[in-house]
Amino acid sequence: MKSDMMSWACPHKVIVMLSLLSFSLFVSTIALSVKSTTHRVEGNILSTDISKKTKTKEDHVINYRLSRDVRPLNYTLILWPDLERRCFKGQVTIRMRVLRPTTNIEVHVKNLSINYVDFNDDANRFVQINTTNLIPKREVYEVQFGHNEISEGVYKLTLNFTGKLDTGIVGFYQSKLRGGLSMVASKFQPTYARQAFPCFDEPDFKATYDITLVKPIDYVALSNMNEISKSVDKSTKTETVTFATSVPMSTYLACFVVCNFDYKETLINTSGIGKDFTLRSFAQKQQTHKIDFAQDIGKRATEFYIKYYEVPYPLPKLDMIAIPDYVSGATEHWGLITYRETSFLVDEATTSSQNKISVANTIAHELAHMWFGNLVTMKWWDEVWLNEGFASYMQVKSLNAIEPSWTMLDQFLTKTLHSVLVTDAKLSSHPIVQKVETPDQITAIFDSISYNKGASILRMLEGFIGEENFRKGVSDYLKKYKYGNTVTQELLSSLEPYFKTLYPHLSLKYIMDTWTRQMGYPLITVRPAANNIYILTQSRFLLDPAATYDDDSEFHYRWYVPITYSTSKEKRDDILWFADTSDSVEISLSDDEKLLKINNNQMGYYRVNYPLDMWSQIIEQLKVKSNMLTISDRAHLLDDAFALSDAGILPYDIALSLTQYLPVEKDFVPWETASAKFSHLSKKLINTPAYENLKKYVQHLISGLYTEQSWEKTNLDVIQGLLRTRVLTLAASSGLPDAERRVRNMFLNWLNSHGTNTIIEPDLRSLIYYYGMKHASAEDWEKLWALYLQEEDVQEQTKLRSALSAPEDVAILKRYLNLAWDEKNIRSQDYLNVLQLISTNPSGNGLVWDEVRNRWNTLVDRFTLNSRYLGNLIPAITSGFNTEKQLQEMISFFEENSEAGAGASARQRALENVRNNIKWTSSHQSTVASWLENYVKAIKSI
Ligand code: MLT
Ligand code: ZN
């Protein structure tokens, strides 16, 4: 098919009939009948119509799903992006099977103008269309056959369409490059394929794809599959590239890129599991020296997965590409993984260890999806945890295998588990398996419950089934359901036989249902009885102890809990099962066993409370760092103690006393946990006299470790390097005078040499830039802003954006806020993050809150209500609110802007959090303040 068959037409310009592209004899008749029904579905109109309300009464009546009576078999799709005019046109022929006679066929369409339609049977015989309709609310285009029902069989629907490339950064869109150039890319997950081509945009409508892209001659075209042919058209200076027929896949995994990037390639050694194949990594031409790290991790992680899953990589090639404008961190488009640049590019000279670990995590996550998610896909989005929880856990397993010194299994606690245990201890949480229907609800469920809780309960499952059993079950599952769609039950049935070898009388399905089908998690309470027996009971853990809720769970908010424990004598990893239906279970220790710590390495998704004297014993043990307490156990105890105190279950004095062991703590993960607790407390105490005492207390705790750290370049291994950065950051944030002085000197030295002084090593840059800017003058800020505008390295840009939000001077922050709105300064993908950064600064919090309320409609116009990132801005800005006045402001704002779109549940989370904060102040503030005061007095008197 040649591109000169079509002349350019943007949706808002002349509509060109694409009749030459149709083959049926009857084309013109249909074209005529359809011409009058040409529809335009454009961004703003649609986002108002469709995206605004999340759950109205109407939503319950409207069926957002397509009929299951028609299934797509193949898409033959050609797309002509026009980078100059920022639009595209396309033609799709969808071959489909009609399983039951029907009078209409529906496909998803959004923001496209349909210019032409025809419908044929499999022998290319024309079938009369009666009428066509757009149903914007459902993002559906309907072809009606009137009274002439079409019978079962195979048919072909051909549609010609046009769309815009400049309406946002989802769907098929344009990304701007340096020097006025641009590229086109796509991001379809979860419901945006319909913005690029009419399709059956639901994950279980798997079909094959024959993709053709028309691109400028000097550009590269990429898609899921390998290129099979190309032909140049000199008159239009375009080249038409056709890709091999794909394997069956979901629409959200299709991907199209046209760019002028370079790449590096490497061979994936499959160890005989399938054929070896090439992994290529693409980036803008001047950035190709920054893709070696991604290539290296990509190669090793892919080879790990092939061996782990024992399933060949399903496609003939694998590409990864860094795209300058990218809405999420990355997306697992099959065979062509798309990344935000910060999730992919690493310049060894400038990138911190933390940046590298984060890049590696994203790459390992997306690669895990090539099998889990892509080869086997969840049936519907309400089980998205199958994709996301699994990839989030596998990323940790693969990195643990290929980079063991990073200790990712311990870091799982601070990166994944601890934060979701807070989210899930609120009534605004939701079960892992959650009903979703609308596009807003679908995007909103890409949240920490699906990712973090999903990963955490898989980790718990692996803990009690064993690593090899888990691996075998997963491998069986992938082999059994390849190219298919599944529900949670099917994953569990694949694991069940292995589970049964260990626990023949239990049901894995039942156990896991208690974790996936109800929200929240249990608190296990330990009570000593006579003869060294301990009685364990369970109850739902909620951060607000006064919260009341309906018993709307089929398991009555009780769980089937795998109990493990350790004592002074041994670690017991064999499972004591605490059934949801049992009142209690008992642990019986021998006489020589002292000290009981439950939930080894915090593998179980639950918290544990002990009587006060047991907590005191634990604190004493921590002070001598008994070997019985592993790195993860120590982090676990810190995390549980603070959560229990926040919930009013444990006196706050205990949680605070626990931190007194920290001077002997030399490992990163417990310090990372403690640091999160201190920042939690500082948020609460910031405007009170106790804040200074908190800072002094932290200074006291770190003083020993601080003197062991260097501000100079070092050759520490990764985890020691992370500890150093953590300790120095705590020193700077708590105002340790020596740290403050050094930071300021190093920063000014660097700033006044216009950023050319490279003494600051990558691991310390975030900290030195940020705290160096704390007391910045307007002049300092302007200098840093100028450096930011010149900066080309994306990791460095991120650090600078953060530092620009640090000053205490509100006028400076206001200027930043204004400049950030202009896309020439801050890309749209980063704007919401800048708002969050400024709002984290106490001087900027009110500023951002006012800005967001005053300009809400403008924000909605730019990001749409379907953006979960816009929705999540509200809980981020209000996370520290703790007054009735602020709560009222939120309520009024939500009332005035009642359409929350994908942010509906985020609003609920924000409200509950602020209500909890208000209670925290009245319940705990004075206890914490006096504990700190006494402690600081005691230090002074020494
Ligand atoms: C993921 O890999 O977790 C998702 O694809 C993120 C996204 O692009 O929305
Ligand atoms: Zn994912």
Side-chain angles (χ1 to χ4, degrees):
M1 208 174 292
K2 288 184 83 190
S3 59
D4 62 355
M5 285 177 173
M6 295 171 77
S7 58
W8 278 106
C10 285
H12 51 285
K13 298 197 177 130
V14 196
I15 290 160
V16 176
M17 286 311 302
L18 306 177
S19 52
L20 279 174
L21 288 166
S22 301
F23 313 107
S24 156
L25 261 177
F26 302 94
V27 163
S28 54
T29 336
I30 304 173
L32 278 177
S33 73
V34 176
K35 203 171 157 190
S36 59
T37 60
T38 293
H39 298 287
R40 289 162 198 223
V41 192
E42 287 168 12
N44 289 341
I45 309 165
L46 209 67
S47 62
T48 324
D49 283 347
I50 288 174
S51 315
K52 280 196 168 172
K53 285 192 180 128
T54 303
K55 239 185 177 168
T56 60
K57 237 181 179 174
E58 223 186 343
D59 286 338
H60 292 293
V61 180
I62 293 174
N63 178 8
Y64 283 85
R65 304 292 300 272
L66 298 182
S67 153
R68 318 323 281 172
D69 293 347
V70 184
R71 298 195 69 86
L73 301 169
N74 171 269
Y75 293 87
T76 301
L77 173 65
I78 177 164
L79 286 170
W80 286 260
D82 181 341
L83 283 90
E84 271 166 34
R85 293 190 183 86
R86 298 181 186 168
C87 58
F88 65 97
K89 59 186 177 183
Q91 182 187 58
V92 68
T93 296
I94 313 175
R95 205 164 160 261
M96 61 187 78
R97 181 176 298 282
V98 173
L99 300 166
R100 249 180 288 273
T102 179
T103 54
N104 72 331
I105 285 182
E106 293 179 341
V107 288
H108 282 112
V109 166
K110 184 179 175 185
N111 294 4
L112 297 174
S113 294
I114 306 288
N115 308 324
Y116 171 83
V117 56
D118 76 24
F119 195 76
N120 297 283
D121 69 12
D122 211 26
N124 279 339
R125 281 179 307 226
F126 162 75
V127 178
Q128 178 74 45
I129 295 173
N130 187 35
T131 176
T132 61
N133 300 305
L134 263 180
I135 310 168
K137 178 91 187 160
R138 293 177 55 222
E139 303 182 358
V140 152
Y141 179 81
E142 180 194 34
V143 179
Q144 282 267 9
F145 301 100
H147 298 300
N148 305 325
E149 220 177 43
I150 55 167
S151 53
E152 292 157 19
V154 174
Y155 295 87
K156 287 187 287 193
L157 172 68
T158 296
L159 294 153
N160 295 345
F161 52 92
T162 53
K164 291 180 179 177
L165 291 170
D166 61 357
T167 53
I169 52 175
V170 293
F172 195 37
Y173 69 95
Q174 188 161 23
S175 173
K176 294 199 181 85
L177 313 176
R178 267 173 209 285
L181 293 173
S182 68
M183 66 178 294
V184 284
S186 68
K187 152 64 170 154
F188 295 162
Q189 193 182 32
T191 60
Y192 310 122
R194 63 193 71 171
Q195 296 183 196
F197 62 104
C199 54
F200 292 75
D201 200 7
E202 296 185 9
D204 71 340
F205 284 129
K206 289 195 175 183
T208 57
Y209 292 74
D210 287 285
I211 309 282
T212 297
L213 296 174
V214 184
K215 57 150 186 98
I217 286 171
D218 48 348
Y219 277 55
V220 186
L222 299 169
S223 186
N224 309 83
M225 297 299 288
N226 51 307
E227 185 180 298
I228 49 167
S229 72
K230 38 187 181 184
S231 67
V232 171
D233 179 338
K234 287 198 180 121
S235 65
T236 55
K237 295 202 182 91
T238 57
E239 188 172 33
T240 300
V241 180
T242 299
F243 300 90
T245 306
S246 79
V247 297
M249 61 182 194
S250 309
T251 41
Y252 78 89
L253 293 173
C255 189
F256 323 118
V257 168
V258 170
C259 65
N260 64 344
F261 290 8
D262 271 348
Y263 67 89
K264 290 193 178 175
E265 64 178 19
T266 181
L267 196 68
I268 299 294
N269 174 357
T270 62
S271 309
I273 305 173
K275 280 195 201 140
D276 289 359
F277 61 95
T278 305
L279 170 72
R280 298 187 296 180
S281 287
F282 288 78
Q284 291 189 63
K285 287 198 164 114
Q286 67 277 19
Q287 293 176 335
T288 41
H289 63 288
K290 300 182 187 176
I291 58 186
D292 296 337
F293 180 81
Q295 273 284 95
D296 174 49
I297 293 287
K299 174 176 166 61
R300 291 188 291 136
T302 305
E303 290 173 353
F304 168 85
Y305 288 131
I306 291 170
K307 283 196 195 140
Y308 185 90
Y309 295 136
E310 284 180 343
V311 174
Y313 171 68
L315 306 183
K317 64 95 180 172
L318 176 52
D319 293 330
M320 308 197 282
I321 184 167
I323 296 170
D325 295 286
Y326 205 74
V327 71
S328 65
T331 308
E332 66 267 27
H333 300 115
W334 215 355
L336 175 53
I337 306 174
T338 45
Y339 293 87
R340 188 181 271 225
E341 288 186 336
T342 44
S343 307
F344 197 70
L345 301 175
V346 165
D347 184 340
E348 287 293 338
T350 60
T351 307
S352 69
S353 308
Q354 249 147 352
N355 292 148
K356 284 191 207 166
I357 290 176
S358 147
V359 165
N361 266 288
T362 308
I363 293 172
H365 177 103
E366 304 308 332
L367 289 169
H369 276 313
M370 297 298 109
W371 290 260
F372 223 103
N374 298 8
L375 182 62
V376 182
T377 313
M378 79 266 132
K379 231 186 197 80
W380 179 242
W381 298 109
D382 47 12
E383 313 231 22
V384 76
W385 86 280
L386 277 179
N387 276 15
E388 298 309 345
F390 199 87
S392 302
Y393 188 45
M394 283 312 294
Q395 74 189 59
V396 175
K397 288 185 68 66
S398 64
L399 291 183
N400 187 54
I402 66 174
E403 290 289 351
S405 71
W406 295 359
T407 67
M408 292 313 296
L409 294 181
D410 288 326
Q411 289 203 55
F412 184 87
L413 270 56
T414 45
K415 284 193 178 303
T416 308
L417 178 60
H418 289 174
S419 59
V420 74
L421 285 171
V422 175
T423 310
D424 205 19
K426 294 179 183 159
L427 297 178
S428 52
S429 185
H430 64 82
I432 281 188
V433 178
Q434 159 88 19
K435 196 166 165 50
V436 290
E437 286 164 30
T438 67
D440 288 342
Q441 291 164 355
I442 292 169
T443 187
I445 201 176
F446 283 74
D447 65 5
S448 68
I449 295 298
S450 299
Y451 282 72
N452 300 30
K453 183 175 181 180
S456 303
I457 66 152
L458 288 169
R459 175 172 171 265
M460 175 167 75
L461 195 167
E462 189 194 37
F464 62 71
I465 201 175
E467 282 184 54
E468 189 52 16
N469 282 338
F470 183 76
R471 192 192 68 73
K472 284 186 189 147
V474 165
S475 173
D476 291 352
Y477 166 81
L478 290 172
K479 287 173 189 152
K480 180 165 179 191
Y481 297 105
K482 63 182 174 193
Y483 303 113
N485 293 79
T486 54
V487 292
T488 302
Q489 174 51 39
E490 281 153 333
L491 173 63
L492 299 177
S493 341
S494 297
L495 290 159
E496 190 91 53
Y498 299 100
F499 176 79
K500 282 272 191 271
T501 61
L502 299 169
Y503 312 102
H505 305 300
L506 300 182
S507 153
L508 180 64
K509 175 188 174 335
Y510 186 86
I511 291 170
M512 293 312 287
D513 277 357
T514 68
W515 299 95
T516 58
R517 309 197 81 86
Q518 61 183 349
M519 61 173 152
Y521 58 89
L523 167 66
I524 301 296
T525 303
V526 182
R527 185 161 47 84
N531 305 327
N532 246 1
I533 289 176
Y534 293 84
I535 299 167
L536 277 50
T537 51
Q538 66 162 291
S539 56
R540 181 180 182 184
F541 178 74
L542 285 168
L543 277 170
D544 175 6
T548 53
Y549 55 92
D550 295 333
D551 182 9
D552 53 359
S553 159
E554 56 185 306
F555 302 102
H556 310 293
Y557 294 105
R558 297 183 64 82
W559 290 263
Y560 217 105
V561 192
I563 304 283
T564 56
Y565 60 90
S566 46
T567 67
S568 50
K569 200 169 148 205
E570 62 179 347
K571 200 171 193 84
R572 302 284 299 269
D573 280 323
D574 49 326
I575 306 297
L576 169 67
W577 287 105
F578 188 167
D580 57 325
T581 46
S582 305
D583 291 336
S584 62
V585 287
E586 287 180 11
I587 292 177
S588 173
L589 301 186
S590 57
D591 286 348
D592 57 345
E593 278 184 299
K594 302 269 161 312
L595 209 78
L596 172 67
K597 193 251 163 204
I598 291 175
N599 197 5
N600 296 343
N601 290 329
Q602 204 174 7
M603 292 284 274
Y605 190 77
Y606 55 89
R607 296 196 189 277
V608 187
N609 191 22
Y610 307 91
L612 292 186
D613 57 335
M614 285 179 75
W615 273 111
S616 303
Q617 281 178 24
I618 287 172
I619 294 173
E620 291 314 308
Q621 279 300 312
L622 277 169
K623 284 183 181 161
V624 293
K625 266 189 79 180
S626 148
N627 285 342
M628 151 198 166
L629 297 169
T630 61
I631 291 175
S632 290
D633 279 340
R634 301 195 303 267
H636 170 212
L637 287 166
L638 282 164
D639 191 55
D640 268 5
F642 274 86
L644 294 169
S645 297
D646 283 336
I649 294 168
L650 184 68
Y652 230 103
D653 294 3
I654 300 287
L656 290 164
S657 303
L658 197 66
T659 60
Q660 285 177 266
Y661 99 95
L662 285 166
V664 301
E665 181 57 79
K666 305 269 159 118
D667 280 298
F668 170 63
V669 170
W671 268 109
E672 188 76 349
T673 310
S675 164
K677 303 304 154 206
F678 295 136
S679 93
H680 170 69
L681 287 182
S682 72
K683 231 173 176 170
K684 310 272 189 213
L685 302 177
I686 182 95
N687 295 318
T688 74
Y691 185 55
E692 281 309 307
N693 284 334
L694 174 67
K695 284 170 48 175
K696 288 204 183 92
Y697 178 57
V698 174
Q699 288 179 27
H700 166 72
L701 293 178
I702 57 165
S703 58
L705 209 49
Y706 175 76
T707 53
E708 292 168 22
Q709 310 303 319
S710 164
W711 289 89
E712 310 303 326
K713 191 161 176 46
T714 58
N715 288 322
L716 294 172
D717 64 24
V718 169
I719 200 77
Q720 284 303 316
L722 293 182
L723 175 68
R724 172 177 71 143
T725 309
R726 174 45 60 217
V727 170
L728 296 183
T729 306
L730 273 170
S733 64
S734 66
L736 193 80
D738 184 66
E740 278 195 325
R741 188 177 47 76
R742 282 174 188 267
V743 165
R744 190 83 184 134
N745 286 346
M746 286 169 90
F747 178 69
L748 289 178
N749 185 9
W750 172 82
L751 185 69
N752 293 331
S753 65
H754 310 289
T756 55
N757 190 335
T758 53
I759 298 168
I760 307 176
E761 63 168 309
D763 274 2
L764 301 187
R765 286 185 189 181
S766 290
L767 130 79
I768 289 176
Y769 297 168
Y770 189 85
Y771 291 100
M773 279 299 281
K774 262 259 135 299
H775 307 290
S777 64
E779 200 190 329
D780 292 341
W781 193 90
E782 294 300 334
K783 277 189 200 163
L784 193 71
W785 178 248
L787 284 176
Y788 171 73
L789 294 179
Q790 281 164 25
E791 183 55 60
E792 295 192 0
D793 183 87
V794 287
Q795 308 290 4
E796 191 72 3
Q797 282 173 352
T798 306
K799 296 180 180 100
L800 296 177
R801 273 199 303 275
S802 164
L804 287 162
S805 73
E808 283 165 358
D809 183 340
V810 182
I812 295 179
L813 296 176
K814 203 163 189 157
R815 176 157 162 73
Y816 189 18
L817 204 55
N818 291 336
L819 287 168
W821 180 255
D822 186 342
E823 279 192 67
K824 283 194 221 73
N825 296 326
I826 305 279
R827 287 182 190 266
S828 260
Q829 64 169 5
D830 299 317
Y831 175 75
L832 296 176
N833 184 250
V834 168
L835 287 190
Q836 264 185 50
L837 285 167
I838 302 175
S839 84
T840 309
N841 179 342
S843 312
N845 185 257
L847 199 66
V848 174
W849 178 228
D850 289 345
E851 176 86 356
V852 165
R853 284 182 295 162
N854 294 337
R855 303 190 61 186
W856 182 247
N857 290 336
T858 328
L859 285 169
V860 171
D861 280 347
R862 184 158 169 184
F863 296 97
T864 82
L865 279 170
N866 181 247
S867 162
R868 61 176 180 260
Y869 303 98
L870 181 62
N872 287 334
L873 188 64
I874 303 295
I877 296 172
T878 58
S879 65
F881 284 13
N882 60 0
T883 65
E884 289 291 344
K885 180 170 172 283
Q886 288 170 316
L887 181 64
Q888 269 318 317
E889 284 174 4
M890 290 166 72
I891 292 169
S892 310
F893 173 63
F894 298 158
E895 274 169 10
E896 282 155 27
N897 301 276
S898 59
E899 291 166 346
S905 52
R907 288 183 177 187
Q908 293 313 313
R909 285 202 306 277
L911 286 171
E912 187 174 358
N913 181 55
V914 173
R915 290 192 176 106
N916 285 355
N917 287 350
I918 293 170
K919 285 190 187 163
W920 194 98
T921 305
S922 61
S923 321
H924 306 302
Q925 186 172 305
S926 61
T927 317
V928 173
S930 55
W931 191 93
L932 288 169
E933 193 181 342
N934 292 338
Y935 199 92
V936 169
K937 261 192 211 147
I939 309 170
K940 274 193 192 144
S941 65
I942 296 170

